[in-house]
Amino acid sequence: MAENEEQGEERDGSKATILAALGANGAIAVTKFIAAALSGSSAMLAEGIHSVIDTGNQAMLLLGLKRSKKPADEAHPFGYGAEIYFWSFIVAVLLFSLGAGLSIWEGVRALLHGEHSSGVPWISFIVLALAFCFEGYSWSVALREFGHKRRGNHWWQDLKDMKDPSIFVVLCEDSAALLGILIAALGLYLTWWLDHPFWDASASILIGILLGTVAVFLANEVRKLLIGEAADPNMVRDVTDNLRARPEIEAVNEVRTIHVGPDHVLLTVSVDFADDVPSQQIEKLVTESEAHVRGKYPVIKSYFVEVQSRRGHRAMTDETDGAAPA
């Protein structure tokens, strides 16, 4: 029961983060495009494109989150948790190809044409101020959920170690959006103050470079999750120490883990039992060990123990690595 409640809280937190970003980006996109049409600002148009893409990204994250909760079946015995990884990767690709590409293209186009509207761009400044407030709210929701899932390391390391892309993708997107708004505002101000379109167009290009950088980072982080990333080393160490502490076990040959979803870890253990331990005792110990591990770490949904001598394990490992068994 406690495990289900904890999983429900994690799902609610991830969904709330995505919904907050979806609502903020959808509302802001419309106002940014209106302001871009009235002011003729390339940076504002780039920001509008950014918000539209972010809105679509949140919709895809919601789809991935929903599909990742499908129960396991015969075709996918470990569930569909990796769906959220796939859709997060698509988000990173779109952020790079559309967000960064269109923003840079619009900036280059503005540089070549050299056109800009005269007068103080009050509408654009007001829209950017409102956008900053809405984006700030969305960012605060993502930051709060990020804080709940941190491991206590440096924030950058915790961000890279996070296994839930529905949190870190939104956090990175919103951070880029806030910085992009500041860049757009600076470009508008310099264009008005110096009466030259170079600054507005340059701001659009800079926003594109920012989006491209964030997209590459997100794509790389999600790629590692897609191909299979190990669980928290502290968790693995604790499970190993718990097994080694049992007198019936002579050696823990190997502990392997992989995230098959943000809240689903598959753990396999190769254990060498003492020769005089009866099979009934082995069965009891394995059951107790699984109950202890899954009780302490609800994220471990699949737990497998392989009974294997140290020599047998070493021979199989050598053979797998291509070396001749000793």
Side-chain angles (χ1 to χ4, degrees):
M1 185 67 178
E3 178 180 334
N4 292 334
E5 290 177 355
E6 181 175 344
Q7 293 171 18
E9 291 175 359
E10 291 181 355
R11 286 194 293 267
D12 291 343
S14 299
K15 189 174 181 179
T17 301
I18 298 173
L19 287 174
L22 179 65
N25 288 312
I28 293 169
V30 177
T31 55
K32 282 180 178 178
F33 279 124
I34 293 175
L38 295 176
S39 66
S41 168
S42 296
M44 181 59 69
L45 181 59
E47 274 298 297
I49 294 171
H50 180 188
S51 293
V52 168
I53 293 171
D54 277 355
T55 303
N57 287 347
Q58 314 316 324
M60 283 189 286
L61 286 176
L62 278 177
L63 175 63
L65 191 64
K66 180 180 179 180
R67 292 180 63 88
S68 70
K69 303 306 174 186
K70 290 173 60 178
D73 54 33
E74 186 175 350
H76 298 86
F78 296 110
Y80 291 79
E83 283 271 7
I84 188 64
Y85 297 158
F86 169 77
W87 289 104
S88 297
F89 189 80
I90 296 298
V91 163
V93 171
L94 290 178
L95 188 64
F96 180 83
S97 59
L98 295 181
L102 291 177
S103 295
I104 294 174
W105 176 83
E106 173 58 26
V108 172
R109 186 199 65 79
L111 280 177
L112 294 176
H113 288 77
E115 299 176 356
H116 72 288
S117 59
S118 59
V120 182
W122 293 114
I123 295 178
S124 295
F125 283 132
I126 292 172
V127 169
L128 287 175
L130 291 174
F132 193 88
C133 293
F134 285 114
E135 290 285 7
Y137 168 73
S138 174
W139 180 82
S140 69
V141 174
L143 184 64
R144 183 175 66 246
E145 290 304 316
F146 172 61
H148 291 162
K149 297 188 177 184
R150 287 191 61 179
R151 295 179 180 176
N153 301 318
H154 187 273
W155 68 268
W156 178 251
Q157 189 61 47
D158 282 340
L159 182 67
K160 291 174 65 66
D161 290 341
M162 180 165 285
K163 311 302 182 185
D164 188 351
S166 62
I167 302 297
F168 70 74
V169 168
V170 173
L171 182 61
C172 289
E173 279 190 345
D174 286 348
S175 298
L178 289 173
L179 187 54
I181 290 171
L182 295 177
I183 293 172
L186 180 60
L188 281 170
Y189 175 76
L190 290 175
T191 294
W192 164 73
W193 186 43
L194 300 174
D195 193 27
H196 198 289
F198 169 80
W199 302 103
D200 182 58
S202 297
S204 179
I205 294 173
L206 191 57
I207 290 171
I209 294 174
L210 170 66
L211 295 182
T213 302
V214 172
V216 170
F217 168 75
L218 291 178
N220 184 57
E221 291 303 308
V222 179
R223 174 192 62 83
K224 292 187 289 185
L225 293 171
L226 273 172
I227 63 178
E229 199 166 41
D232 182 359
N234 293 325
M235 179 197 303
V236 176
R237 191 178 304 113
D238 185 43
V239 171
T240 304
D241 291 343
N242 177 264
L243 289 170
R244 284 174 175 165
R246 296 178 179 268
E248 300 92 341
I249 295 177
E250 289 192 348
V252 178
N253 300 317
E254 186 177 41
V255 177
R256 289 189 179 185
T257 61
I258 184 173
H259 268 271
V260 295
D263 57 354
H264 186 162
V265 168
L266 185 153
L267 185 146
T268 63
V269 185
S270 172
V271 178
D272 183 6
F273 284 90
D275 294 338
D276 58 347
V277 179
S279 60
Q280 296 87 346
Q281 182 66 17
I282 293 177
E283 294 173 357
K284 179 182 178 183
L285 190 148
V286 169
T287 301
E288 292 175 350
S289 174
E290 180 175 3
H292 169 78
V293 168
R294 296 184 63 169
K296 189 172 183 178
Y297 301 105
V299 71
I300 299 178
K301 302 290 196 302
S302 305
Y303 183 86
F304 301 98
V305 177
E306 180 181 22
V307 180
Q308 192 176 33
S309 68
R310 277 179 290 185
R311 175 174 294 183
H313 174 75
R314 191 180 304 114
M316 291 298 298
T317 302
D318 292 342
E319 183 177 343
T320 301
D321 293 340

